[in-house]
Structures are given as structure tokens and as C-alpha cells.
Amino acid sequence: MNIVLLGAPGSGKGTQAEALVARYGLVHVSTGDLFRHHLSQGTPLGQMADAYMREGRLVPDEVTVAMIRDRLERATETGGLLLDGFPRTTAQAGALAELLAERGERVDAAILLDVDEALLLERLLGRGRSDDVRETIQTRLTAYREQTLPVIAHYDAEGVLHRVDGVGTIEAIAARLARVVDGLEANA
Ligand code: AMP
């Protein structure tokens, strides 16, 4: 089962993704983590992504999709993927559908962690990551609104979208997510 975890920056996606992969034996694929890894290794891809990440803008689709293609080629025979931070544009969603179709697979569910924007800002400002300064945060939230909200609409139209309230303790939110995934497994 392949699951896309959607949510704005600061929605708690990364934390919840870790809990989901541990619980369901999924392979965690996070484009943010992949970019940060490339950056720390000083690869050409990392160097090109650097400026975008520092400014809070999305790395161009061709670059991101090529990186994902490479990652998925190394993740065959899995019990399923948990995609975290990808897709963030409708072009990326189209590319993902194609990559999965090549394996005879699809996005089985897209789960949106719903958190309102005032709370997102508060969380992001408190997190202290290097791209968590106010100006960058605003850019990232704008990118989310303009480029990623259409991805949510896309999965909604496909009938695979599940919304989960992303406000509460980490454990409470993890339990809500687990209910959704257990429901998917029961219907599979
Ligand atoms: P994240 O850790 O998911 O918040 O990602 C950190 C940064 O990496 C983002 O602000 C973007 O610059 C870049 N990034 C991560 N995922 C993507 C993606 N799917 N498409 C484009 N850029 C991305």
C-alpha cells in the first residue's frame, strides 16, 4: 500500500511519518530528507537545491522527480511506500502516478494532516531549523498554498483523500492516522 502524507510545513508530517513507517513497515521516502542528505554530502544535486531550500522555494520539478525516480528504483519489493513531502505540485503528482504505474502500483491513499495557519507559524518559528526564519517560512507557506493545495484537490477528485485533524498531542494524532490506515488495510 502506497500512502502520500500531505500537510503544510509545520503540520507535523515528518514526526508522524516516522511513527507510521515504524508501525506499518512502510519505506519512508522524504524529499526534504533526501535534499538535506545531498546537501550534507555536497553533491551537485545538493548544491543546486541549496538556494531554493534556503529561500523556502520549491526545487524545480525535473530535479525533484529525477531524484524520486532514482529513490524508487532502489525501493522495489516493499510492503509499500510512505511519501512525505512529495508530491508538492500537480506535475509531481502526475510523475508519481506514472512511476508507480510502471510497477503496477498506484497511490492508494493521500492523508492530509490538517493544521490552521496561525498554529503552523507558531510551530515553525519555535522549531529553529536553518530554513525556519520568518521570511523563509512565509515563502514556504505561500508555496504550499499556491502549488500544493491543488495536489490535495487532485487526490480529493480521485477519491483517495483522507483528512486528519493535525492538532493535539503527537500520540493523539498518531492514533487518528492509525485509524485511517487500519481502515485502508481492512478494505484492501
Ligand atoms: P521539507 O523538509 O519537506 O519541508 O523540505 C525542505 C525544502 O526542501 C523545501 O522547502 C523545498 O525547498 C525542498 N523540497 C522538499 N520536497 C520538495 C518537493 N517535493 N518539491 C520541491 N522542493 C521540495
Side-chain angles (χ1 to χ4, degrees):
M1 177 156 34
N2 298 313
I3 299 176
V4 168
L5 189 59
L6 296 163
S11 62
K13 267 195 325 289
T15 305
Q16 294 299 336
E18 306 271 349
L20 281 172
V21 296
R23 183 165 180 153
Y24 295 98
L26 302 166
V27 172
H28 187 190
V29 177
S30 156
T31 39
D33 287 351
L34 288 168
F35 281 129
R36 280 185 287 274
H37 180 73
H38 276 279
L39 195 57
S40 72
Q41 301 297 306
T43 69
L45 193 148
Q47 285 166 14
M48 109 49 92
D50 186 29
Y52 291 95
M53 294 175 76
R54 266 189 286 120
E55 290 169 19
R57 289 188 295 140
L58 294 186
V59 177
D61 285 335
E62 314 83 76
V63 176
T64 306
V65 168
M67 182 176 73
I68 278 283
R69 179 179 299 117
D70 175 65
R71 178 68 186 86
L72 295 194
E73 277 167 6
R74 290 182 288 110
T76 50
E77 319 258 324
T78 70
L81 303 168
L82 182 75
L83 294 144
D84 162 11
F86 181 89
R88 266 176 154 97
T89 66
T90 52
Q92 291 179 11
L96 175 62
E98 280 176 27
L99 288 171
L100 291 176
E102 286 169 17
R103 308 150 67 105
E105 298 176 20
R106 62 186 205 104
V107 170
D108 298 286
I111 308 180
L112 171 65
L113 266 184
D114 228 343
V115 179
D116 83 38
E117 200 161 304
L119 188 57
L120 291 174
L121 260 178
E122 194 181 301
R123 284 188 185 174
L124 287 165
L125 286 167
R127 195 160 72 171
R129 214 168 73 182
S130 62
D131 56 353
D132 284 344
V133 291
R134 188 176 284 273
E135 203 183 9
T136 309
I137 290 170
Q138 291 294 2
T139 309
R140 286 162 66 208
L141 290 174
T142 303
Y144 178 74
R145 271 196 303 271
E146 292 179 356
Q147 294 170 275
T148 309
L149 287 184
V151 175
I152 297 169
H154 164 86
Y155 287 123
D156 199 8
E158 284 197 343
V160 296
L161 184 72
H162 302 260
R163 288 174 198 272
V164 167
D165 180 3
V167 181
T169 62
I170 290 175
E171 294 73 23
I173 298 164
R176 288 175 206 147
L177 285 167
R179 268 200 297 279
V180 171
V181 178
D182 288 343
L184 296 170
E185 289 193 326
N187 290 324

